[in-house]
Amino acid sequence: PDYTMTCQTASPATSVATSATNRCLLLLTFSLFPLSFCFQRTSFVPNPPYCQTPQHHQHNVKSAGKPSFLLPTAPSLNIVSTDGKVKCPPLIVSALLMSSDTGGDTPAAPEIKAAVSIEYCTGCRWMTRAAWMAQELLTTFQDELDEVCLVPSREGTGKFAVTLNGDALWDRKSEGRFPEMKELKRIVRDVVSPDRDLGHSDMQKGEGVDSVDTSSSLTSEDKPELSSSVKALRTTPHISITYCTGCRWMLRAAWMAQELFMTFDDEINSISLLPSRPPQPGGLFTVMLDEDVLWDRKKEGRFPEPKEIKQKIRDFLCPSRDLGHSDVKKEEENNSNEEEMDDDEAAEMRKFFGVS
């Protein structure tokens, strides 16, 4: 048999297709060639080491001398800069891992201009309601409120009052009911940011029975004024929890506050939630008892366990108190009471149980 392979001439249709493919590849090569210079002049930042704001991003781009593509943890928050023009979204992008956190001193507390206090009756078990309202206010007015303070009232009179910079916004006894959340938001908005639109919480006139006139609760004459160095209704012993807004740690801080109130319902007199925003450094999460720092996330390298904070507060306020399963000292004492066997005793026990 003849195994010789002969070369067959390609058909005209095949030649035309091959020629068209070559032309497309050549055109694509020339189109992508200029992009190589752009990528050589571009830096990629996969995880920013701190809470990235438009101001921080602009500063980093100028200092680097070339545009950068910032790749945040959330794919919906892409930040792209080209030719020195930085386009940053209004939301703050944060890295979950902050590799550049340093163990420096705790930064000075920012000036407080808008402080809300919520006093609630402990006998009526309204702590959860007060904490929920605090979370709602801190979520809606993330950039306007500097502090929300929860103050338990142990008088047993059914008190539930909301104040802003010491001026009353709502009193359950005088109003005869609790405030609707949208009512309270509108009242706070009229003080801290009058021109702001609250969306569905901002009802127009004539919407029916759900429409509430807030003028009876807060008139123009007694509307609180925003001034500097204002503090909420803090009473010692006082806990301050400072959290980074860019890292979205507000819920963690509120949860920690509720845990502490449930454990030290008679010892702690107030807990403040303090949002930390630029120019404060990012990644802040500190817990303070009056002027003493109980926990600093940057120094410790992690968040505190609730039982750790509870033990530190117990050591300050009531050293003799037993915290039950949250008490590490008790666990250590129980472990220390366990007797350890020496090698001979261990060998005898293995022989007795038939374990080689």
Side-chain angles (χ1 to χ4, degrees):
D2 186 8
Y3 294 99
T4 305
M5 302 298 294
T6 59
C7 179
Q8 298 180 357
T9 305
S11 63
T14 305
S15 301
V16 172
T18 303
S19 178
T21 302
N22 292 336
R23 289 194 186 95
C24 292
L25 291 176
L26 185 62
L27 180 61
L28 183 62
T29 301
F30 280 107
S31 300
L32 296 179
F33 183 73
L35 293 179
S36 61
F37 294 98
C38 298
F39 282 104
Q40 292 176 2
R41 300 172 53 211
T42 304
S43 61
F44 291 84
V45 185
N47 276 324
Y50 51 82
C51 295
Q52 195 77 15
T53 64
Q55 293 79 10
H56 288 154
H57 189 56
Q58 181 72 27
H59 173 73
N60 293 342
V61 170
K62 290 183 179 180
S63 61
K66 56 183 179 180
S68 66
F69 286 81
L70 178 61
L71 305 179
T73 56
S76 61
L77 299 178
N78 291 328
I79 300 177
V80 181
S81 61
T82 56
D83 297 333
K85 296 182 180 180
V86 182
K87 296 181 179 180
C88 297
L91 295 176
I92 299 175
V93 181
S94 307
L96 297 179
L97 300 177
M98 300 185 181
S99 58
S100 66
D101 287 350
T102 58
D105 297 335
T106 303
E111 189 178 54
I112 296 178
K113 295 183 179 181
V116 171
S117 297
I118 304 177
E119 295 183 80
Y120 64 92
C121 178
T122 57
C124 300
R125 303 184 182 278
W126 289 336
M127 184 268 291
T128 306
R129 180 189 293 269
W132 166 68
M133 287 191 173
Q135 296 175 57
E136 285 286 330
L137 292 177
L138 287 172
T139 301
T140 302
F141 303 101
Q142 175 177 286
D143 298 326
E144 289 85 3
L145 292 181
D146 301 313
E147 177 181 4
V148 174
C149 185
L150 301 176
V151 183
S153 175
R154 303 182 179 95
E155 300 175 356
T157 57
K159 185 174 185 178
F160 194 93
V162 183
T163 60
L164 175 60
N165 294 349
D167 297 311
L169 297 183
W170 193 277
D171 190 345
R172 174 184 167 273
K173 287 190 175 181
S174 60
E175 299 292 341
R177 61 184 176 87
F178 291 103
E180 293 290 336
M181 201 61 244
K182 54 188 174 183
E183 292 180 82
L184 191 57
K185 288 182 180 180
R186 289 200 303 269
I187 297 175
V188 173
R189 183 273 313 272
D190 292 342
V191 179
V192 300
S193 183
D195 298 331
R196 180 173 176 180
D197 183 11
L198 294 179
H200 66 276
S201 295
D202 218 350
M203 294 181 299
Q204 302 295 329
K205 294 182 179 180
E207 283 189 339
V209 294
D210 291 336
S211 180
V212 178
D213 185 10
T214 60
S215 59
S216 59
S217 301
L218 188 67
T219 62
S220 59
E221 296 180 355
D222 57 9
K223 181 180 293 186
E225 296 291 338
L226 298 183
S227 57
S228 59
S229 301
V230 173
K231 289 187 178 181
L233 302 179
R234 301 180 181 181
T235 54
T236 58
H238 173 75
I239 299 292
S240 300
I241 304 178
T242 304
Y243 64 92
C244 177
T245 57
C247 299
R248 303 184 183 277
W249 290 338
M250 184 271 292
L251 293 179
R252 181 188 293 268
W255 165 68
M256 184 73 69
Q258 296 179 67
E259 284 285 331
L260 296 180
F261 267 139
M262 293 178 65
T263 302
F264 302 98
D265 53 346
D266 294 327
E267 290 83 5
I268 297 177
N269 290 328
S270 59
I271 296 181
S272 289
L273 303 178
L274 305 170
S276 174
R277 301 180 290 263
Q280 294 291 313
L284 287 181
F285 192 92
T286 60
V287 182
M288 298 182 63
L289 173 59
D290 295 331
E291 301 299 330
D292 298 311
V293 178
L294 300 180
W295 195 274
D296 188 343
R297 175 190 164 275
K298 289 196 172 183
K299 291 183 179 180
E300 302 292 341
R302 60 182 177 87
F303 291 104
E305 294 290 335
K307 60 182 180 181
E308 294 178 288
I309 295 296
K310 292 178 181 180
Q311 292 156 17
K312 290 178 178 291
I313 294 176
R314 184 271 314 272
D315 295 341
F316 272 96
L317 301 181
C318 44
S320 60
R321 179 172 177 180
D322 184 10
L323 294 178
H325 65 277
S326 296
D327 209 338
V328 172
K329 292 183 178 180
K330 190 174 182 179
E331 295 179 359
E332 292 177 352
E333 291 177 359
N334 294 335
N335 295 334
S336 64
N337 293 331
E338 298 179 358
E339 296 182 0
E340 296 183 359
M341 296 184 295
D342 56 21
D343 295 338
D344 295 336
E345 292 176 335
E348 184 178 353
M349 293 297 293
R350 288 195 295 270
K351 182 178 180 181
F352 177 80
F353 287 103
V355 180
S356 57

